[in-house]
Amino acid sequence: MAKEAPEKFTKPYQPQEVEPAIYKKWAESDFFNPDQLPPSPAGTPRTESYTIIMPPPNANGSLHAGHAVFVTLEDLLIRYNRMRGKKTLWLPGADHAGFETQVVYEKKLEKEGRTRFGMQPSVLRNEILQFTMANKSFMEGQMRQLGASCDWNREKFTLEPDIVAIVYDTFKKLYADNLLYRGDRIVNWCSKHQTSLSNLETNRISRKDPFYYFQYGPFVIGTVRPETKFGDKYVVMHPSDARYAQYKEGDQMELEWINGPIIATVIKDEASDPEVGSGVMTITPWHSGIDFEIARRHNLPYEQIIDERGKLLPIAGEFAGLNIKDARAKVVEKLQAKGLVVKVDEEYVHEVPVCYKCEREIEPQVKRQWFVKAKELAQPAIEAIERGDIVFYPDHFKKILLNWLSGIEDWNISRQIVWGIPIPAWYKHNGESEEVFVGEEAPGEGWERDPDTFDTWFSSGQWPFATLGFPNANDFKTFYPTQVMETGGDLIFFWVARMIMLGLYRTGKVPFSTVYLHGMVTSKDGKKMSKSKGNVISPLEMSEKFGTDALRMGLIIGNTPGTPTALYDDKIKSYKLFANKLWNIARFVLSQEKTGDIKPEFKQEFDTLAREVTEDIEQYRFYMAAEKLYHYVWDRFAAEIVEESKGKPEYSASLYYILENSLKLLHPFMPFITEEIWGSLPAPTQESGQPRRLLMVEPWPFN
RNA sequence: GCACCCUUAGCUCAGUUGGUUAGAGCGCACCCUUCACACGGGUGAGGCCUCAGGUUCGAAUCCUGAAGGGUGCACCA
């Protein structure tokens, strides 16, 4: 029994002193690289691959709590499978994050009193590139701090030439397969950011606005947007609305309107809801999706009323040049003076789309842009998901995804921003007609390059196969399809759905067999973290304060898939105490000579724990596995077994057995402290002179 | 409008395929500086598992309905 534990154990565990050195050891071993892994612990070669493609963080800031969750969960899976003898690849990356990054950079410009409008595109692009690259390397350092055992040799960035080449191939193939078109369609236009956005990049907010009823010839029409009504020469009603049966499609009449008399034409269309307002509406096809569709069905002309900055065009006559907000009151005033206001409902509540970044109202505009025929791409995805090719955690995300895919609409992938992958298309104009060429180089003289860039999700959607070097690289052959896609639940449509669709389209296979979606990390009161609320918890600060292992445990325990998790000081602190408990157990065990035999009842009890923990990990119940380990180590091992063993040297073999194997089970959860203690254990093969292996490649203690 | 989720201890939440006395963390009360650890140890209080039916030998768990709360999607004039 008489023996001294190593000196360092006499002090409380100091994660700050231990962690950087441990990470350095791992990195130097090169075991993050699947090609450099030693034979599996059982001595057999690692044949079965296990791959996770890391969600590439937006390289425009610092790692936040959400990043820390994915690093923790993915690292857990990777470390577990590495110990199980798989050929494990965790492929890191970074995302240029088009619009997201441009918005961040524009805010920075604003602070400096500058604006992107009027800047040379190439100058702006270069500035953002430098900004992005600086952030990228900063974030990589942070990821190391969190213990990420990813293969840095294989790191990818979305703007690297080989990635861009694959994205271009996909674009060309979609065009050739008639799954992509360029057309004049309603887009979601943000008048602050001066770009179109996909449906997913808009939010809806509920608002109360006056609903006006105007006399329009013999009809009363209802609208919340009087300022758009200048060009409204078509009056629409439902074909079976009995109140208007006397009017026939195509009937024309002269009537008094905002800026004088106009000729109005009757249109019958089922899109007009008899229940809403008076059941009659006029249409503004250039600035409303539903009106646009009506105009298309009836082959009506459409005309722009509002410009890209939200100001009225000359069609508005005396109101031209006014901002639409100011124009509304003035138009109503004029109609009032003309006696055309029938009534106003001040209590009308409706939902308006806003830009998800600036919350400014979206102004629908007709623009000539690129659209992916999403329905066609979604169909194979729906079939694969229904077939069960992909398992979802939590399970109900499958329903949510299927519901979204079944109602999917064409995807606008053109963005009017410089920070992105340029769209490889060229146009030649001959009067009204336009010739289109898809390719990186102009096909000849007189061609004009598309000035737009891709929606960033168009490239991210190809990430799993693009990073692995589709179609010919060995990595693609070895590691695709991947095993797990672990990311935030908020990315299910933006990213997961697109990866499934584009992965199936390009490779014929689903890109991953399991999707695990974690919930948002909130502050203690369950609120979303935001800078304006001042409730942001920085994972790096927590890691410095309590140790990365404690942070990781805090992010795992209580974190069920899909459900928001609260993160706060006290919670992480309690796992720092746990780390210290483990440290002291090690001190106690190491103060004894290893003698006697392992008691079968302890072995059996431990085996049960190992089996349960293994099953929990296999079933993605990490929170439960972590809790069981926590309780076994603290309440059983420390509180009972260690106590019972005091003064009984014959227990020491059992203590060593339990400690060693507990370290193995805990390693995926708390990699630093377990590796550190492991390094202080007596080498099992002292006589053979073999140096002790790193814990990260030790065999998992359950099969 | 369509879809999805939630309701369990003061708070935040677990509870895996239905199976003894329903659990954890934090908080709370009281006690203990005992030789691995005060970054510790011990003891304890606290629950008609939202409600109403049903299935079952047995329901927090499965089914139906109600009430309350939350989220996502969507071309609402």
Side-chain angles (χ1 to χ4, degrees), chain A residues 629-702:
Chain A
L629 284 166
Y630 177 93
H631 287 293
Y632 176 81
V633 169
W634 199 315
D635 300 333
R636 177 69 186 137
F637 187 28
E640 295 174 358
I641 299 175
V642 165
E643 290 303 323
E644 196 183 319
S645 78
K646 286 181 179 170
K648 297 176 184 144
E650 70 274 18
Y651 270 66
S652 76
S654 298
L655 295 180
Y656 272 96
Y657 174 82
I658 295 172
L659 177 60
E660 278 184 24
N661 287 290
S662 295
L663 292 175
K664 290 181 184 176
L665 290 184
L666 276 168
H667 181 70
F669 301 85
M670 307 179 83
F672 289 104
I673 188 173
T674 51
E675 189 74 79
E676 175 70 12
I677 296 173
W678 183 260
S680 299
L681 294 178
T685 51
Q686 260 165 343
E687 56 278 12
S688 72
Q690 289 275 344
R692 196 169 183 80
R693 283 222 300 203
L694 285 173
L695 178 56
M696 70 180 284
V697 289
E698 276 295 311
W700 186 251
F702 185 82

Side-chain angles (χ1 to χ4, degrees), chain A residues 7 103 163 174 294 315 318 388 417-418 422 439 500 533 560 570 699:
Chain A
E7 164 70 19
V103 168
I163 300 289
L174 284 166
I294 293 171
I315 187 175
E318 63 186 276
I417 56 175
V418 301
I500 297 172
K533 281 187 215 140
T560 48
D570 286 352

Side-chain angles (χ1 to χ4, degrees), chain A residues 138-158:
Chain A
F138 179 64
M139 291 169 89
E140 286 158 9
Q142 296 186 323
M143 233 175 277
R144 289 179 167 93
Q145 188 181 330
L146 296 178
S149 65
C150 52
D151 184 5
W152 294 106
N153 303 306
R154 285 177 162 88
E155 191 190 15
K156 285 286 170 191
F157 177 53
T158 47

Side-chain angles (χ1 to χ4, degrees), chain A residues 19 23 26 32 71 75 79 90 141-150 548 552 671-672:
Chain A
E19 291 177 4
Y23 195 90
W26 291 332
F32 296 169
V71 169
D75 193 52
R79 287 182 186 273
W90 186 18
Q142 296 186 323
M143 233 175 277
R144 289 179 167 93
Q145 188 181 330
L146 296 178
S149 65
C150 52
T548 295
R552 289 170 60 126
F672 289 104

Side-chain angles (χ1 to χ4, degrees), chain A residues 112-168:
Chain A
E112 295 165 3
R114 300 197 289 159
T115 165
R116 74 148 150 140
F117 303 108
M119 277 179 86
Q120 275 287 333
S122 59
V123 172
L124 177 60
R125 211 182 136 90
N126 250 321
E127 280 191 25
I128 304 180
L129 180 63
Q130 284 180 18
F131 172 76
T132 301
M133 295 321 267
N135 278 306
K136 180 172 167 288
S137 69
F138 179 64
M139 291 169 89
E140 286 158 9
Q142 296 186 323
M143 233 175 277
R144 289 179 167 93
Q145 188 181 330
L146 296 178
S149 65
C150 52
D151 184 5
W152 294 106
N153 303 306
R154 285 177 162 88
E155 191 190 15
K156 285 286 170 191
F157 177 53
T158 47
L159 295 184
E160 282 165 19
D162 50 340
I163 300 289
V164 172
I166 291 170
V167 171
Y168 281 178

Side-chain angles (χ1 to χ4, degrees), chain A residues 7 73 89 104 129 131 142 224 232 266 299 363 425 568 621:
Chain A
E7 164 70 19
L73 297 181
L89 169 61
V104 170
L129 180 63
F131 172 76
Q142 296 186 323
V224 277
D232 290 18
V266 170
N299 212 10
E363 186 59 72
Y568 45 90
R621 295 189 297 253

Side-chain angles (χ1 to χ4, degrees), chain A residues 317-589:
Chain A
E318 63 186 276
F319 302 98
L322 276 182
N323 188 292
I324 50 169
K325 273 193 185 137
D326 305 329
R328 181 173 299 181
K330 293 204 164 73
V331 170
V332 172
E333 205 176 296
K334 184 165 182 189
L335 285 165
Q336 187 88 53
K338 288 180 138 188
L340 295 176
V341 177
V342 179
K343 63 171 174 172
V344 184
D345 175 3
E346 299 283 354
E347 299 300 311
Y348 184 71
V349 177
H350 65 147
E351 292 199 321
V352 293
V354 295
C355 169
Y356 80 120
K357 279 290 160 201
C358 67
E359 299 245 298
R360 236 184 253 187
E361 217 171 303
I362 290 291
E363 186 59 72
Q365 293 274 6
V366 174
K367 292 268 172 200
R368 180 167 298 182
Q369 303 199 338
W370 287 99
F371 295 86
V372 173
K373 293 186 184 173
K375 276 191 190 349
E376 279 85 340
L377 286 183
Q379 200 47 45
I382 290 171
E383 287 163 17
I385 293 166
E386 282 177 343
R387 213 184 300 131
D389 291 359
I390 302 176
V391 177
F392 290 83
Y393 293 92
D395 182 55
H396 73 262
F397 269 95
K398 176 177 170 174
K399 289 187 245 174
I400 291 174
L401 184 53
L402 284 171
N403 180 255
W404 185 76
L405 284 169
S406 64
I408 199 167
E409 290 179 37
D410 286 355
W411 174 19
N412 176 204
I413 55 170
S414 297
R415 294 292 175 278
Q416 293 69 55
I417 56 175
V418 301
W419 185 240
I421 299 176
I423 294 180
W426 301 79
Y427 315 113
K428 195 174 198 175
H429 297 276
N430 302 307
E432 284 294 290
S433 70
E434 177 191 72
E435 255 186 279
V436 176
F437 175 77
V438 167
E440 284 128 275
E441 302 297 330
E445 291 290 308
W447 290 78
E448 210 180 296
R449 172 132 206 179
D450 191 311
D452 293 346
T453 52
F454 284 124
D455 178 354
T456 196
W457 299 105
F458 183 69
S459 46
S460 314
Q462 304 177 47
W463 200 235
F465 61 84
T467 51
L468 290 171
F470 171 78
N472 295 319
N474 281 333
D475 273 2
F476 179 75
K477 290 168 188 160
T478 310
F479 298 106
Y480 191 94
T482 70
Q483 272 58 53
V484 179
M485 174 47 62
E486 193 286 325
T487 189
D490 53 336
L491 294 183
I492 181 146
F493 308 136
F494 273 114
W495 196 39
V496 176
R498 269 85 177 252
M499 284 191 287
I500 297 172
M501 290 192 286
L502 291 168
L504 278 167
Y505 174 63
R506 285 310 308 269
T507 72
K509 291 176 188 162
V510 291
F512 28 72
S513 45
T514 299
V515 172
Y516 181 101
L517 296 162
H518 63 255
M520 194 177 45
V521 185
T522 67
S523 59
K524 190 173 185 178
D525 56 9
K527 300 258 165 61
K528 190 174 175 178
M529 290 185 196
S530 74
K531 281 180 196 156
S532 55
K533 281 187 215 140
N535 61 355
V536 176
I537 292 176
S538 155
L540 287 313
E541 275 175 36
M542 292 297 111
S543 152
E544 277 149 30
K545 201 166 161 190
F546 301 115
T548 295
D549 292 325
L551 170 68
R552 289 170 60 126
M553 285 294 271
L555 290 168
I556 292 166
I557 292 183
N559 185 352
T560 48
T563 307
T565 319
L567 188 66
Y568 45 90
D569 258 50
D570 286 352
K571 187 175 177 187
I572 304 167
K573 193 180 160 194
S574 68
Y575 299 113
K576 173 194 180 341
L577 301 182
F578 177 62
N580 196 56
K581 177 56 86 169
L582 186 61
W583 191 246
N584 279 293
I585 294 170
R587 178 186 177 184
F588 179 79
V589 175

Side-chain angles (χ1 to χ4, degrees), chain A residues 247-263:
Chain A
Y247 299 98
K248 302 282 176 270
E249 167 103 12
D251 283 358
Q252 293 202 320
M253 59 200 71
E254 189 177 289
L255 55 88
E256 185 59 27
W257 195 226
I258 308 168
N259 287 336
I262 60 162
I263 304 287

